[in-house]
Amino acid sequence: MRWSIRDVIMGAAVTSDPDLHAALHDHRNLHGTIPGPMEVFLVLSSAVSTPASGR
């Protein structure tokens, strides 16, 4: 598989554990892993225009 500049991995982390939530929150704040509006736009627009892999 060849990766390109447009390849992006995005997801969500969901937990009901308060300690894990605090750890994830701290990690996000320290490392700035919140996508900006342009990154979200590019992901959404490429998801619509690109066929799913394996089909």
Side-chain angles (χ1 to χ4, degrees):
M1 174 193 283
R2 182 169 181 190
W3 294 86
S4 72
I5 192 88
R6 293 186 59 187
D7 293 328
V8 176
I9 298 173
M10 295 182 107
V14 180
T15 182
S16 61
D17 181 353
D19 294 331
L20 182 55
H21 177 269
L24 290 170
H25 185 266
D26 291 344
H27 184 274
R28 183 190 69 189
N29 285 339
L30 290 172
H31 298 285
T33 57
I34 301 171
M38 189 60 176
E39 289 82 14
V40 173
F41 169 77
L42 291 172
V43 167
L44 290 175
S45 65
S46 67
V48 171
S49 64
T50 306
S53 62
R55 290 187 183 179

